[in-house]
Amino acid sequence: MSPMEQKSEVLHWKNFSQWAYAICVVTFDLELGQAMELVYPSHCELSERERANICYLAFPDSNSGLMGNVQFHFRIRMCPETRQNLIQKSSSNFNEKYPVSLKSVVLLSSLPFVSLFSHIMEIIAPEYFERGEASLEAACHDIDQWLPPLPGPLTLPLHGNLIKVRIPSRQDKMGNITQSFNTESVTATPSIVIPNPHDIPAFPILAPVLPYLNLLWELILIAEPVVVMATSPTTAANMVQTLVSLISPLKYCGDYRPFFTIHDSEFKEYTIRASAPPNVILGVTNPFFAKTLQHWPHIIRVCEEAGSGKAKLSKQKTLKVVEHKPGVYTKYKPYLQPDKNLVKRLLKGVQMGRPVEVQSALLRRHLLELTQSFIIPLERYAASLMPLQKNVSPYKSTPTLRPFNTEEFLSTLESSGPQLTSGIKGDWHSLYKCFFKTCNFSSWFNQRHQEMSKKLSVLHMQAICDANMKEWVGSKCEVEVVDMVLRLREKLRISENLDFSNDIAGKLQTQIELLISYLPEDVKSVIKKS
């Protein structure tokens, strides 16, 4: 394909590329092993390393004993950026002794919509196994007609189905996600309503480890290395994904691999014993990892067998039994006390036959309130770093934010700490100290710093727009006026780059023209040319 043809092809799939990068078909050959059979759209390029990683991750480990259709997701590094990659359906057909064929359909996307893509692949994969490549082409054309994945309700047609989903915004509150679909009329087309594109039901996944929920929440909050060991990639991937979401709405910023194998290109990086384990959460199924990763500080062993009971907490020095017994293996001592009332409430719900969706909602609500109780003091202190509006002068440079002082923040906890909004007791002071050393804190503060800096710029520009420049210019020399013009021009340039309102940009331009009108003709000419 020539560069011109490739450019045309990319433009043709513009809407599709906002949702996904490509759909791949991976085949397992008894003699040759895994091979990439198909990539659609055809213009999408994958490096040899990317192809190898996808091929190995497209199938469960050979010793897992899984048969039939399997669905799970994984993440890998891709160039030029990291894209989340979801393999949502792997179909296997067996005769009495040997598999006749083994294929996987893989959806590649940078969007973290695990729940949404799971439903999408439940539609796409069976169609492919029945109708072949033509069905993938039809699915991609359907996706190419979708509106962009922006916050708000969306209806997504796919293979004769209507997928109704609401992309949440930062302003959304729990419990309001499905309201947009309640009043829509019923149609003859089959509809699938997805309450949240990100989350999978939390309760069935966390039920075995409910007594240690606060412990796990702390481990994710402070970005500790965690490995999840299970017998199926579905269980491992779902547990890892749920762990990452424990601290929502705070973003987990460490690396995480819902399904990880010994063939992964980062295998040596993550399993070397020469240094401390990296800040990553791994989901594994190969028993080989029980020995390779037994030096990791936190291991969760999940058992899928019916009647296996809840996992137990083990703080023993050696973790050799982790291969066989389900449990949470760690020496970590939580700073916060567990919420026993939550566990009792959820166990009572099981006895009463409460729906899984309701149990999951109760669990999510508890985690949300716990995280918000932790974040609120940080938000309150961050807001105090802003200079007072009365100190924002239109005739001076934009004031800067005060630096984040951890000791100053910790001194505020006694009067305005998490105890004001949470009934959970414990050493919040020490937990914050650990949090300050993590990538989660750095990411949160960097984002808040950018938001507050932009707000400060808006306040400064507004002050300039409202300033009486006629009065100011009367007492200033020519050099000072020229300097102000140049500064306002820079402000105008910044306003364009930061997408400020046209109103602010227009007022800035008016102020600039006013100042120029007070300059001598020769200086005006130079200014206008510059």
Side-chain angles (χ1 to χ4, degrees), residues 353-419:
R354 187 184 290 150
V356 168
E357 294 79 10
V358 179
Q359 293 280 83
S360 295
L362 290 172
L363 194 51
R364 290 287 184 194
R365 171 63 65 181
H366 166 80
L367 292 166
L368 174 67
E369 291 175 351
L370 180 58
T371 304
Q372 286 180 332
S373 293
F374 185 83
I375 295 177
I376 286 172
L378 290 165
E379 294 282 0
R380 187 183 294 116
Y381 176 74
S384 73
L385 303 180
M386 284 275 289
L388 297 175
Q389 189 164 352
K390 66 179 183 180
N391 296 330
V392 180
S393 170
Y395 311 117
K396 297 180 181 179
S397 300
T398 307
T400 57
L401 300 168
R402 290 195 300 117
F404 192 104
N405 186 311
T406 56
E407 291 302 320
E408 184 181 40
F409 166 77
L410 293 172
S411 68
T412 67
L413 293 182
E414 187 174 349
S415 59
S416 57
Q419 72 278 2

Side-chain angles (χ1 to χ4, degrees), residues 437-454:
K437 301 174 184 176
T438 70
C439 55
N440 290 337
F441 169 72
S442 299
S443 174
W444 170 83
F445 183 67
N446 288 340
Q447 182 180 349
R448 291 294 290 118
H449 194 278
Q450 289 176 10
E451 292 170 353
M452 292 189 295
S453 295
K454 182 176 180 180

Side-chain angles (χ1 to χ4, degrees), residues 241-261:
Q241 197 70 40
T242 304
L243 289 176
V244 168
S245 69
L246 290 183
I247 60 173
S248 179
L250 188 65
K251 184 181 178 182
Y252 174 78
C253 295
D255 193 7
Y256 63 98
R257 305 300 176 90
F259 180 48
F260 188 78
T261 75

